[in-house]
């Protein structure tokens, strides 16, 4: 029988539908895996954002991957608590985001800017300059804010902390 | 009224308020004042519509009569909706859309803070999730209110006019009935008087900072807790529900 670790490895092959450089495991949305037997599995997933359109895609991809690997009864439950936080994105995945051109989220315990209303300095993923400017709290997807580097002029997405 | 019936009504009220506001705001998608703001409001809309889905999904589960969240959204008539009337009002210009959004975001901000502590785990979970999102919304719309209020004479006048006309719909957000009474005893529902105190303080500080004034001695509208609405709701439903009603088997 497959172990939860096997399933994690298997699901690590599924890329995030909107940011394909990281996997859904690295994103931290798979919260619990319970293998009942060789053909039955139960999973808990949590949405990144309430309206994130990728969640349906992620669920479909998980179903497809598991059914290709012998599971016939796949129960996927969406849970809200504890709410997803960018802290669950692994350090390695954060580095992948940066290389991809998306400034990775700071640790939310350190970044209180979303509470205090003060903009913090986000490093440009291209030239690493801290001389960057917030253009909009809301970028190309719900999880990102739009910044521009004042040195290299590159506009870039910042994966905002929640 | 049983706890189950009260809980269903309660979740429906929260879900409907999000659903109708999300539907209304979605009219701006592709029509925002400039690209970044179009994206921002669309993202806010998406969060609100997502919250509506989570709440209505749970309402359907609590009701336990085989209805889905889609059935609840698309197959009820206007008198069966319990959204606050402020959410169904036409968007108007951008100043009016922002003024309404600030009033509702601020309500949601304090409401979800309280609901996060509910004895009902699912409601608390959705509230915790939504609170993170609403924090961003409120920050964004507050900045706009200040920009409009403290901007040009024209932007100031437009946003002040919006506040004057919207104010009559604010008291409804805090109305409580037998549903609240029953569920507060169970530790499930939020005491809206608590939310009101915090909301009033926050809004009056924000309005003052934006060089605007809160209208005084306003007649307060009421009705949504009983399913009574402005004439605008039926039109919004007609548009939103057309497809599932014409093609009941449609899947997407």
């Amino acid at each position: 029988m497959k172990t939860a670790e096997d399933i994690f490895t298997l699901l690590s092959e599924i890329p995030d539908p909107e940011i394909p450089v990281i996997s859904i495991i690295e994103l931290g949305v798979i919260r619990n895996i319970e293998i009942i037997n060789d053909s039955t599995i139960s999973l808990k997933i949590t949405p990144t954002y309430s309206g994130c359109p990728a969640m349906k895609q992620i669920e479909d991809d998980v179903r497809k991957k598991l059914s290709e690997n012998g599971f016939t009864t796949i129960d996927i439950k969406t849970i809200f608590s504890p709410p997803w936080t960018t802290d669950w994105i692994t350090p390695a995945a954060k580095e992948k985001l940066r290389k991809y051109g998306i400034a990775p989220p700071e640790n939310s315990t350190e970044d209180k800017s979303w509470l205090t209303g003060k903009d913090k300095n986000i490093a440009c993923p291209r030239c690493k300059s801290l001389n960057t400017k917030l253009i909009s709290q809301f970028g190309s997807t719900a999880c990102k804010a739009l910044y521009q580097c004042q040195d290299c002029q590159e506009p870039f997405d910042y994966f905002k902390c929640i | 009224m049983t706890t189950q019936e009260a809980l269903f009504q309660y979740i429906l009220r929260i879900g409907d308020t999000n659903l109708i506001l999300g539907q209304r705001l979605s009219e701006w998608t592709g029509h925002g004042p400039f690209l970044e703001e179009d994206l921002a409001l669309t993202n806010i809309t998406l969060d609100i519509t997502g919250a509506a889905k989570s709440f209505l999904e749970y309402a359907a589960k609590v009701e336990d009569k085989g209805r889905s969240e889609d059935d609840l959204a698309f197959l009820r008539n206007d008198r069966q909706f319990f959204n606050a009337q402020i959410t169904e009002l036409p968007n108007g210009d951008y100043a009016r859309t922002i003024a309404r959004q600030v009033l509702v975001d601020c309500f949601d901000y304090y409401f979800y803070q309280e609901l996060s502590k509910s004895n009902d785990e699912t409601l608390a979970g959705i509230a915790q999730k939504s609170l993170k999102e609403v924090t961003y919304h409120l920050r964004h719309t507050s900045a706009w209110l200040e920009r409009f209020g403290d901007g040009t004479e024209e932007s100031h006048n437009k946003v002040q006019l919006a506040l004057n006309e919207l104010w009559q719909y604010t008291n409804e957000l805090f109305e409580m009935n037998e549903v609240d009474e029953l569920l507060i005893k169970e530790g499930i529902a939020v005491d809206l008087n608590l939310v009101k105190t915090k909301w009033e303080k926050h809004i009056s500080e924000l309005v003052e900072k934006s060089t605007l004034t809160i209208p005084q001695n306003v007649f307060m509208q009421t009705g949504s807790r009983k399913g009574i609405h402005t004439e605008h709701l039926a039109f919004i439903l007609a548009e939103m529900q057309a497809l599932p009603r014409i093609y009941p088997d449609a899947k997407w």
Side-chain angles (χ1 to χ4, degrees), chain B residues 44-177:
Chain B
I44 290 174
T45 306
L46 197 60
D47 286 340
I48 292 173
T49 308
K53 180 178 183 286
S54 305
F55 282 115
L56 291 180
E57 212 167 44
Y58 185 44
K61 196 175 154 203
V62 166
E63 189 196 30
D64 198 23
K65 286 187 179 160
R67 288 204 276 184
S68 70
E69 71 269 26
D70 279 354
D71 295 335
L72 289 175
F74 299 125
L75 301 177
R76 281 180 298 146
N77 298 325
D78 54 346
R79 290 297 296 266
Q80 297 163 320
F81 270 77
F82 300 97
N83 58 287
Q85 291 177 359
I86 195 168
T87 61
E88 71 210 30
L89 301 176
N91 289 327
D93 57 22
Y94 212 67
R96 180 173 302 227
T97 299
I98 288 295
R100 172 178 58 197
Q101 204 51 38
V102 164
L103 297 172
V104 179
D105 283 344
C106 186
F107 170 81
D108 283 344
Y109 181 71
Y110 292 109
F111 175 68
Y112 289 142
Q113 273 185 7
E114 294 302 315
L115 194 64
S116 297
K117 304 174 211 155
S118 171
N119 284 342
D120 185 295
E121 278 179 23
T122 308
L123 279 184
I126 304 172
Q128 285 164 26
K129 176 96 232 154
S130 296
L131 180 59
K132 288 189 174 198
E133 296 165 1
V134 165
T135 306
Y136 272 108
H137 303 173
L138 180 59
R139 186 180 161 195
H140 185 78
T141 50
S142 299
W144 267 110
L145 190 81
E146 207 181 328
R147 198 187 295 188
F148 281 140
D150 201 15
T152 64
E153 193 184 338
E154 188 175 356
S155 72
H156 176 93
N157 290 343
K158 281 189 174 177
V159 81
Q160 182 63 57
L161 180 68
L163 267 184
N164 294 349
E165 294 186 5
L166 290 169
W167 199 255
Q168 61 189 307
Y169 294 98
T170 53
N171 194 53
E172 246 205 352
L173 295 166
F174 307 100
E175 283 181 2
M176 292 192 279
N177 59 17

Side-chain angles (χ1 to χ4, degrees), chain A residues 47-51 53 80-81 83-85 113-115 117-119 135-139 141-142 146 160-162, chain B residues 36 39-40 43-44 46-47 49-51 54 57 109 121-122 125-126 128-133 135-137 139-140:
Chain A
T48 52
Y49 279 77
S50 301
F80 297 102
S81 187
W84 182 80
T85 159
S113 60
W114 61 294
L115 288 175
K118 289 195 187 74
D119 296 334
I135 305 289
S136 173
Q137 280 294 343
F138 300 88
T141 63
L146 196 62
K160 62 196 185 204
C161 286
I162 62 167
Chain B
E36 287 81 2
L39 278 174
N43 271 313
I44 290 174
L46 197 60
D47 286 340
T49 308
S54 305
E57 212 167 44
Y109 181 71
E121 278 179 23
T122 308
I126 304 172
Q128 285 164 26
K129 176 96 232 154
S130 296
L131 180 59
K132 288 189 174 198
E133 296 165 1
T135 306
Y136 272 108
H137 303 173
R139 186 180 161 195
H140 185 78

Side-chain angles (χ1 to χ4, degrees), chain B residues 9 12 25 91 101 150 158 174 177 190 207 229 232 250 252:
Chain B
Q9 280 298 316
L12 217 48
L25 288 176
N91 289 327
Q101 204 51 38
D150 201 15
K158 281 189 174 177
F174 307 100
N177 59 17
V190 169
V207 164
H229 292 278
H232 305 293
W252 60 82

